[in-house]
Amino acid sequence: MTSVSYVVTVYNKVPVLPFLVAGLGAQEGDFDREFIFVDDGSTDGSLAALRALTTGWPDVTIVEQANTGPAPALNIGLKRARGDYIKPMDADDLLLPWATRRLIEAIETTDCGVAFGPHSPTYEMTGRPADVLAAHRHEPGRIERCDDMLRRSLYRAQTNPSAWLAKAETVRRSGGCDERVFIQDYSIELRLAEQGAFARLHEPIFLAPVAIPGRLSDNQAQILHDVNLALANFIAERPQLPRSLARLGFVRASARAWAWARRRGGKSFASREFRIVCGARLGLLSPTEANLRATCAAFAKTNSIRLPSGDRGILSQ
């Protein structure tokens, strides 16, 4: 029988854990399942809450560790996964009941290694998880095969962990998350996109909370910094990447840096950020590692940016 490994990273998520667990428990489909939770040094009682909420569940693994950050934590969970498919989740999110079944169907009908879908409108944490799930009805959408996934990802991030499901062999070939980047979302998407086509499911897959204190997705500077850093590492390590794709990534990264520097940093047309974006667009600057990494600086000039402590970079197989 087909098997799915759900891999969830958790850091101080007590208020949303009942929603997370309700969504996981509601998954439809005839497949074996295992649940791997990596508690990344929570200090708010998340570990105890997870144990209580999953009492009686078969095949649950809860990894307790000191805080390492999202990327290493997800890699630790991925290494433990034994299923044919891997379904990662952010602990904030609520997986809709049909999500796993439909994502597997999307992979099987398109012969892709990865399938993804969007999230629906957000959910309110004031309601009961069962009521939130009951309020949503499945309306099947079309399945699109994206053969140009790497180009799409280099232009703009397409997913987050809650949005995708992949064949375990595809995840292992990708190398997992780049642990030199704090937020894991974009680095693993790029590495998966390098493996081949994705299937895009045009229907809701998960719900995100309206608001939760301390959520990483609320720190726009951190997100954009990490997108550019993941892109810089990815392109620098792939000299065989077609120049057109490397240049696309460089142009997009420099545009993000210039837009941030102008709007948030008050920078003018005489700034370094403007010179870099002009050079990238006109082809006067090449997508070298130094030029790509220079696009990260604008975000650190206006905001505090968290960096991981290690430099491991690749999920070992």
Side-chain angles (χ1 to χ4, degrees), residues 212-239:
I212 178 172
R215 186 168 52 179
L216 283 174
S217 58
D218 292 335
N219 186 344
Q220 194 67 12
Q222 181 79 56
I223 290 172
L224 294 175
H225 171 276
D226 286 4
V227 164
N228 279 13
L229 181 56
L231 192 61
N233 291 345
F234 182 83
I235 293 175
E237 293 171 349
R238 288 159 178 81

Side-chain angles (χ1 to χ4, degrees), residues 130-296:
D131 294 337
V132 174
L133 287 170
H136 292 269
R137 294 288 180 266
H138 185 206
E139 297 181 4
R142 67 185 178 92
I143 298 172
E144 172 192 5
R145 181 182 165 99
C146 304
D147 288 298
D148 61 340
M149 194 63 200
L150 183 54
R151 177 176 290 277
R152 294 188 189 205
S153 291
L154 287 167
Y155 184 80
R156 180 176 61 83
Q158 305 289 313
T159 72
N160 70 17
S162 297
W164 60 264
L165 174 145
K167 293 179 179 178
E169 62 194 52
T170 303
V171 175
R172 294 189 184 101
R173 282 200 313 269
S174 77
C177 306
D178 183 344
E179 296 184 12
R180 297 163 296 181
V181 183
F182 186 72
I183 299 178
Q184 77 278 32
D185 300 14
Y186 191 47
S187 72
I188 194 168
E189 178 186 314
L190 287 170
R191 291 178 173 189
L192 288 170
E194 185 182 23
Q195 306 307 308
F198 280 25
R200 181 177 182 182
L201 196 56
H202 288 262
E203 62 189 63
I205 292 300
F206 70 96
L207 308 179
V210 172
I212 178 172
R215 186 168 52 179
L216 283 174
S217 58
D218 292 335
N219 186 344
Q220 194 67 12
Q222 181 79 56
I223 290 172
L224 294 175
H225 171 276
D226 286 4
V227 164
N228 279 13
L229 181 56
L231 192 61
N233 291 345
F234 182 83
I235 293 175
E237 293 171 349
R238 288 159 178 81
Q240 77 281 7
L241 192 69
R243 184 170 177 79
S244 62
L245 293 181
R247 184 166 180 263
L248 171 63
F250 182 31
V251 169
R252 292 292 294 166
S254 63
R256 279 189 288 269
W258 163 237
W260 185 271
R262 178 169 56 88
R263 296 170 186 166
R264 304 296 182 90
K267 293 298 184 70
S268 71
F269 294 117
S271 67
R272 184 188 186 200
E273 289 79 10
F274 183 69
R275 292 195 301 273
I276 292 174
V277 74
C278 288
R281 287 175 172 169
L282 295 173
L284 301 175
L285 291 178
S286 298
T288 63
E289 182 174 7
N291 286 337
L292 284 159
R293 285 183 174 273
T295 68
C296 300

Side-chain angles (χ1 to χ4, degrees), residues 59-113:
D59 216 346
V60 173
T61 299
I62 300 178
V63 179
E64 180 183 2
Q65 64 177 35
N67 182 256
T68 61
L74 181 54
N75 277 351
I76 286 168
L78 295 177
K79 290 177 186 178
R80 288 176 173 260
R82 297 168 296 166
D84 303 309
Y85 293 98
I86 294 175
K87 177 72 194 82
M89 284 294 295
D90 287 336
D92 308 289
D93 298 330
L94 191 159
L95 198 61
L96 291 168
W98 55 84
T100 306
R101 172 176 59 83
R102 286 288 286 158
L103 288 167
I104 292 174
E105 181 182 337
I107 286 177
E108 291 180 344
T109 57
T110 60
D111 195 28
C112 292

